[in-house]
Amino acid sequence: MDPAAEEARHLGLRFQRGFLAGRLLRAFPWAELEKKLKSSSDALLLLDILQKTIRHPLCMKYPPSVKYRRCFISELIKKHESIATEPLDELYDELAEILNKEESTNCYKSYLLPTGDSVTLSETVAIISQGTTGLVTWDAALYLVEWAIENSAIFSNRTILELGSGIGLTGIAVCKTCNPKAYVFSDYHHCVLEQLRENIHLNGFVLESETGNHTKMQSQNQRTEVMDLQGPKITVAELDWDSVTKEQLSELQVDVVIAADVVYDPQITLSLIGVLQQLSTSETIGNPPEIYIAFTVRNPDTYHLFQTELGKVGIGWQVVPTHTKNLFLYDLHSDIILLKLLV
């Protein structure tokens, strides 16, 4: 493939990953697209992007919000009109179809994995909804998934507990790529737990029916293909950080504990420290679990509080080196840190 064609292909894939994951439109490489369009008189690149985004099978089956699709296709039309005199019918046909659709309170985001598989999540369109931040995917979760995929040996054939699983991106991706023996998703807000179970089913996994209230069957109007392969034992736990006991945590017999974007509020941070202290003194076959916490530093004071409180309960920490591959198009300028706790 000649360099120009390879460059165009790579640009199309960047649009694909960003679109399917519902990234902010301003984060797309529009300037690069415009430059590429000006150097080429045909519309093949735009048609290729259309096929990789709006017409992608994942988008057809699990579409992003109507507003998002409308704004995206409108931006493509703008770029085309800025360099061409002849309209591109395919773009206008797609826009007309989208304009006839009604908006839903929920939408889908799909994250492409290096294995060729993907993680599809149903999310609420609001950032903070029903009193919880757990109904959307945050950047630190994407960062943690990238690191986990590069360090899959840490998770392979082991039992994993995730604190604050939210709607499930990290755990579902780890279950699909890292071959854990068992995975315990946990959260507290009932709306988050309901959405989490739905997303686990949406991605082809079946929950262990250890407790009846932690198994939720597919809604009547939604079907999914259940994986035939032997996957990890998956459970969903309702975990209140303020009331869970050391004995309850020890019963889980976990080897690795992970969490993403749970360090953002001083009060919640203190509750998290309590859970981490109990986990650090619980033992699985004689050893405490390995603990990894990923978070975006939005407020340095909250980050320093977290470090200080860890020290007070005798837990050390070290910053885990940044991984090499950027698989997801989150904000690379965000200050995301991954800590390994030393117990």
Side-chain angles (χ1 to χ4, degrees):
M1 185 180 293
D2 68 83
E6 177 61 25
E7 188 179 307
R9 188 188 73 85
H10 182 65
L11 184 61
L13 290 175
R14 288 169 64 191
F15 270 89
Q16 180 183 67
R17 287 184 175 278
F19 174 82
L20 292 176
R23 302 307 296 172
L24 293 174
L25 291 183
R26 66 172 180 266
F28 283 69
W30 297 110
E32 290 180 48
L33 174 61
E34 197 164 358
K35 181 180 176 183
K36 196 75 181 164
L37 290 174
K38 286 178 179 176
S39 67
S40 172
S41 58
D42 63 52
L44 288 178
L45 177 56
L46 280 173
L47 292 175
D48 180 57
I49 290 174
L50 188 64
Q51 288 298 133
K52 284 182 164 72
T53 55
I54 298 283
R55 292 180 176 176
H56 190 283
L58 278 172
C59 177
M60 304 291 280
K61 189 173 183 180
Y62 304 116
S65 73
V66 172
K67 180 181 179 181
Y68 184 80
R69 283 177 283 156
R70 186 185 71 242
C71 291
F72 179 81
I73 198 74
S74 297
E75 195 64 33
L76 282 183
I77 289 172
K78 264 195 253 178
K79 294 304 175 192
H80 177 67
E81 289 179 341
S82 70
I83 55 93
T85 53
E86 291 296 321
L88 196 58
D89 290 343
E90 287 87 346
L91 295 178
Y92 291 97
D93 290 345
E94 289 296 339
L95 179 59
E97 188 173 332
I98 292 167
L99 289 173
N100 286 324
K101 295 183 182 297
E102 291 185 8
E103 188 63 88
S104 168
T105 54
N106 277 55
C107 60
Y108 294 95
K109 294 183 179 180
S110 296
Y111 302 87
L112 302 178
L113 300 173
T115 57
D117 202 347
S118 60
V119 174
T120 294
L121 302 175
S122 174
E123 290 191 355
T124 181
V125 294
I127 289 181
I128 297 180
S129 175
Q130 302 181 65
T132 176
T133 57
L135 289 169
V136 295
T137 297
W138 300 93
D139 282 355
L142 298 168
Y143 184 96
L144 183 56
V145 171
E146 290 178 340
W147 176 81
I149 290 172
E150 281 195 16
N151 297 273
S152 60
I154 291 172
F155 304 93
S156 181
N157 201 34
R158 303 178 84 185
T159 297
I160 318 300
L161 167 64
E162 183 184 2
L163 300 173
S165 297
I167 58 173
L169 170 72
T170 303
I172 293 168
V174 167
C175 288
K176 286 193 172 192
T177 60
C178 299
N179 191 37
K181 179 174 70 176
Y183 200 98
V184 182
F185 293 83
S186 73
D187 217 296
Y188 179 62
H189 199 285
H190 69 95
C191 292
V192 176
L193 290 168
E194 184 177 349
Q195 190 73 67
L196 174 59
R197 294 187 191 103
E198 180 182 330
N199 283 332
I200 290 170
H201 288 122
L202 187 66
N203 285 274
F205 291 109
V206 178
L207 294 171
E208 289 287 319
S209 54
E210 294 174 350
T211 55
N213 64 326
H214 280 164
T215 302
K216 184 176 184 298
M217 300 310 294
Q218 287 296 105
S219 56
Q220 293 179 354
N221 62 347
Q222 191 171 43
R223 299 177 62 190
T224 186
E225 298 81 15
V226 176
M227 292 181 176
D228 294 325
L229 300 175
Q230 184 64 41
K233 171 185 169 183
I234 294 177
T235 55
V236 171
E238 182 180 324
L239 200 63
D240 183 346
W241 293 351
D242 291 320
S243 64
V244 67
T245 66
K246 180 179 176 181
E247 289 70 30
Q248 289 171 322
L249 293 170
S250 295
E251 286 174 7
L252 297 175
Q253 290 289 291
V254 298
D255 303 297
V256 180
V257 178
I258 60 174
D261 255 331
V262 291
V263 181
Y264 59 88
D265 175 88
Q267 187 55 50
I268 291 174
T269 297
L270 295 175
S271 300
L272 173 63
I273 293 291
V275 175
L276 295 175
Q277 183 182 18
Q278 294 183 84
L279 284 165
S280 68
T281 55
S282 66
E283 294 186 350
T284 302
I285 320 177
N287 297 309
E290 296 177 38
I291 303 176
Y292 299 91
I293 310 290
F295 53 92
T296 302
V297 181
R298 298 180 181 87
N299 182 341
D301 291 340
T302 304
Y303 175 38
H304 294 142
L305 172 68
F306 181 59
Q307 293 175 316
T308 300
E309 295 299 323
L310 283 174
K312 286 181 182 178
V313 297
I315 300 176
W317 52 269
Q318 66 183 30
V319 177
V320 178
T322 304
H323 47 273
T324 58
K325 291 184 179 177
N326 177 228
L327 302 173
F328 307 113
L329 301 179
Y330 53 84
D331 185 358
L332 295 177
H333 299 293
S334 296
D335 189 7
I336 302 176
I337 293 175
L338 176 62
L339 296 183
K340 179 179 182 181
L341 304 191
L342 307 175
V343 298

